[in-house]
Every structure is written in C-alpha cells, then in structure tokens.
C-alpha cells in the first residue's frame, strides 16, 4: 500500500491529468465549431430597414424572407434578421440606417425609397439590396439599371407600362372622367416620378391631373375631401405617406361615390377599385433570390441587374366598385387576364 504522502501525490497528479484532458476536450469542441462554420454552417446576419408599415411593404418583406428560406437560409437556424421600422419618421429612418451601418451584417435590405436612400448613404462595406423603389435612378440610389456597380442592387416596384395601361383603362372605360385627383407627398421622389408619368399619359386623352399635396399622413383625409366636387375620380401612387392614410381616401371615395384608382394590388384589396399591378409578395421574393445569390453563391450586388415587375394584370375590386357607385361591365372584366386571382369579390 502507498503511504498517505505518496497516495496524495498520485491523486494530485491524476487530478491534473484529468483537468488537462478536459481542457483539451473543450479546445477540441471550439475547434469543431469553427470547422463546422467553415464547412457552411455560418449564421448570416441580415438587417431590414422599412420606412412604414402597410400591406404592400409588409408583403414585400414576407416574400423576401420566404425566398431566403427556400434558398436554405432559415431564421432561427442559420439566419438572424434585425427588422427595423421607421414608422414613417425621417429622423427614425436616418437613425436606423446609421445603426445598421455600424452593426456587423452580411447584407442589408431597404424597403421603400426613403429607406433605400438613407441606407445607401450610410452602408458602404456590405451588400445592400432595395425593394419597393419606384425609380432608383431618380432617387440617386444607383446610376445604371443594368450594371448598378458598387455594393447596391435590387428591384424597382414599378413598370412604366403599368401606369400607361391604367390611364388608358380610365380613359376608355370611364369616359366621364375629365379630371383625375391625386393626393400626393411631393417630397417623396417615387410619388413625383409616378405622377409625372401619369400626367404624360393622361395628356394623351385630354384628362387633367389635379394634385392635392400633403406633408404628413394626418393631412390625407383633408386633401381627399378638398378634391370632392373638383374631380371625377381619385388616383393614388406608390406614395408611402399617402398609402399610410389610405383608409381616409377610401372612406371619402365611398361616401361621395367617387371611383378610386391606385398603383398596387394591396391598396385594391384594401378599398380602391382598380389598378394594373402585381403581387408585392412576388416582388419581395425576387429580391430574396438575389440575396441568396449574393450570400451563398458569391455574386456581387453591383453585377446584378435591377429588375422590374413583368407579370402585369388589371386588378378589380367588385365590392369597392359597388361602394363607389361603379357599374362593372363585361368589357372591364374581359381585360383581366387572370380573373380567378385578379377579380376580387
């Protein structure tokens, strides 16, 4: 048998050996985690900046996230999303852009023109994608749609042909419309671009575009009411400030039996009569596919062409038509390519 002194020495030595072994095991686990990350188990960080909550922009975000998931980037597994909403406030919008610029992100998504403008000004070292931007060149977001260059790309949410088709529909199917009222925030680049295109098309048909400017959402109701008696129909562009107060325009249109036309499917679903448009979910999904290409396939944003919607269709809301005193003719319905989807009852 060992003496107490020798036995104590052996126990101490054994303890040190076990401790050393545990330390080596911990180190091995750390190295294993690093190896796993290196083999493709990286956790991606994506920041989203969205100017305001409304159905079109929310659907854009949902489509974007769905495309990431289908591309193997799953929130809670290998993806972290930092979602930020400015609630329509430009000070918040700038603060969000500064925040995401200082954070460690693998990619930043900006939803809507004001968000994209702020993010592009602040974020220089990581890929930036934008969505729900009407005219990225006029908004100084990119200088070339085919080869944007740098760290920025994305998708425009308007095809000028959609505005042309809608104005033609109004002129053909609503011959009594001689004056079209537009509630507009003229401080929003995308709204101005769309208004100019609408006026260009309306001039062809001898229809006058009458504007009711607003500077904040609380003025939208008063602006709509100011057009009553002065115009034959209402029109709303992809104007974030105005769309945020869209319910007030719908109420006025319904109360006064004034046809209401808009620029996206979501506002038709929420009470306007007609648009020529597409699904914002699909628009966001398209941008999400670009994000997967960048993050998993090594594509550079500046090499990805700016895309525009290509699945345009006339979209009609029959309940809105009834509320606004519109008689929907067979000729109107015949212009809808996908009646099962785009005639809303």
């Amino acid at each position: 048998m060992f003496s107490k002194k020798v036995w104590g020495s052996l126990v101490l030595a054994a303890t040190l050996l076990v401790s050393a072994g545990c330390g080596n095991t911990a180190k091995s686990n750390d190295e294993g985690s690093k190896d796993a990350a290196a083999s493709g188990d990286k956790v991606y960080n994506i920041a989203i900046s969205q100017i305001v909550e409304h159905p079109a922009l929310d659907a854009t975000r949902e489509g974007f996230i769905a495309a990431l998931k289908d591309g193997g980037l799953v929130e809670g597994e290998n993806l972290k999303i930092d979602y930020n909403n400015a609630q329509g406030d430009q000070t918040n919008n700038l603060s969000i852009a500064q925040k995401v610029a200082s954070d460690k992100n693998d990619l930043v998504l900006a939803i809507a023109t004001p968000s994209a403008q702020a993010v592009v000004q602040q974020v220089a070292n990581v890929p930036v994608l934008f969505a729900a931007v009407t005219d990225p060149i006029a908004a100084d977001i990119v200088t070339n749609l085919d080869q944007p260059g740098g760290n920025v790309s994305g998708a425009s949410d308007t095809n000028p042909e959609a505005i042309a088709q809608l104005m033609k529909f109004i002129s053909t199917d609503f011959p009594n419309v001689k004056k079209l009222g537009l509630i507009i925030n003229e401080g929003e680049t995308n709204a101005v671009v769309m208004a100019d295109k609408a006026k260009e098309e309306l001039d062809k048909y001898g229809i006058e575009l009458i504007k009711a400017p607003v500077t904040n959402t609380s003025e939208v109701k008063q602006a709509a009411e100011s057009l009553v008696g002065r115009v034959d129909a209402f029109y709303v562009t992809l104007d974030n400030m105005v769309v945020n107060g869209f319910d007030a325009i719908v109420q006025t249109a319904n109360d006064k039996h004034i046809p209401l036309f808009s620029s996206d499917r979501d506002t038709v679903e929420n009470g306007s009569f007609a648009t020529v448009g597409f699904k914002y979910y699909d628009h966001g999904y398209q941008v999400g596919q670009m994000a997967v290409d960048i993050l998993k396939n090594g594509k550079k944003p500046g090499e990805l062409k700016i895309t525009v919607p290509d699945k345009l269709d006339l979209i009609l809301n029959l309940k809105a038509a009834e509320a606004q005193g519109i008689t929907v003719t067979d000729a109107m319905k015949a212009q809808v390519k996908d009646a099962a989807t785009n005639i809303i009852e």
Side-chain angles (χ1 to χ4, degrees):
M1 294 187 63
F2 298 111
S3 68
K4 289 183 179 180
K5 182 177 181 180
V6 173
W7 179 255
S9 298
L10 289 172
V11 170
L12 177 60
T15 302
L16 290 172
L17 285 171
V18 171
S19 298
C22 290
N24 287 336
T25 301
K27 182 178 181 180
S28 177
N29 287 340
D30 288 341
E31 290 173 350
S33 297
K34 291 177 182 178
D35 290 341
S39 68
D41 291 332
K42 170 181 170 62
V43 175
Y44 294 89
N45 293 284
I46 294 179
I48 298 177
S49 175
Q50 181 173 319
I51 188 62
V52 71
E53 291 180 357
H54 71 66
L57 303 188
D58 294 342
T60 298
R61 187 179 73 252
E62 291 163 6
F64 176 80
I65 295 171
L68 294 178
K69 184 176 181 180
D70 289 346
L73 300 176
V74 182
E75 194 172 7
E77 294 182 12
N78 61 347
L79 174 65
K80 291 182 179 179
I81 295 178
D82 174 27
Y83 169 59
N84 304 269
N85 193 302
Q87 301 298 334
D89 185 280
Q90 288 297 341
T91 301
N92 291 344
N93 186 41
L94 177 59
S95 296
I96 289 169
Q98 293 170 336
K99 170 184 174 293
V100 300
S102 64
D103 291 343
K104 293 182 178 179
N105 292 300
D106 296 292
L107 184 142
V108 178
L109 170 68
I111 302 177
T113 300
S115 295
Q117 289 172 318
V119 166
V120 166
Q121 289 173 3
Q122 299 294 325
V123 180
N125 299 319
V126 299
V128 172
L129 292 176
F130 61 80
V133 170
T134 299
D135 190 334
I137 292 179
D140 292 325
I141 295 169
V142 296
T143 57
N144 188 298
L145 298 181
D146 291 330
Q147 295 179 321
N151 66 320
V152 181
S153 189
S156 169
D157 65 350
T158 189
N159 183 329
E161 184 59 25
I163 299 174
Q165 289 180 23
L166 181 60
M167 297 306 120
K168 183 178 181 180
F169 173 73
I170 294 171
S171 69
T172 302
D173 291 84
F174 291 80
N176 293 330
V177 173
K178 302 301 181 184
K179 296 182 179 181
L180 185 64
L182 173 67
I183 300 95
I184 182 172
N185 168 26
E186 294 183 310
E188 195 163 322
T189 304
N190 53 303
V192 173
V193 169
M194 294 187 73
D196 289 346
K197 177 62 178 176
K199 184 179 185 307
E200 177 186 332
E201 296 298 322
L202 290 170
D203 286 346
K204 298 176 183 178
Y205 309 113
I207 299 174
E208 184 180 358
L209 184 68
I210 298 179
K211 297 179 182 178
V214 298
T215 58
N216 59 67
T217 299
S218 65
E219 297 174 357
V220 169
K221 187 177 189 303
Q222 182 179 355
E225 291 173 344
S226 75
L227 291 170
V228 175
R230 300 168 53 211
V231 301
D232 306 303
F234 290 154
Y235 173 53
V236 174
T237 68
L238 298 172
D239 185 325
N240 294 295
M241 181 180 291
V242 173
V243 172
N244 203 31
F246 187 67
D247 289 348
I249 303 174
V250 172
Q251 182 180 347
T252 303
N254 293 350
D255 289 347
K256 303 298 182 180
H257 283 188
I258 299 173
L260 170 58
F261 302 92
S262 59
S263 300
D264 65 278
R265 180 187 179 88
D266 297 283
T267 46
V268 173
E269 291 178 347
N270 286 318
S272 76
F273 165 59
T275 191
V276 173
F278 57 94
K279 291 183 178 180
Y280 267 83
Y281 180 93
D282 294 340
H283 172 68
Y285 193 95
Q286 190 174 32
V287 181
Q289 290 177 314
M290 297 173 75
V292 172
D293 246 359
I294 292 168
L295 295 175
K296 298 195 74 176
N297 301 328
K299 294 290 183 68
K300 295 180 180 179
E303 297 173 353
L304 298 177
K305 181 179 178 179
I306 307 299
T307 62
V308 297
D310 56 3
K311 297 178 181 178
L312 299 177
D313 197 4
L314 179 64
I315 305 169
L316 304 177
N317 183 329
L318 302 188
K319 288 184 178 179
E322 182 179 0
Q324 292 158 26
I326 300 168
T327 299
V328 181
T329 65
D330 290 339
M332 291 180 188
K333 293 180 181 178
Q335 297 175 58
V336 181
K337 299 171 187 174
D338 183 0
T341 301
N342 292 331
I343 294 181
I344 302 166
E345 300 188 43

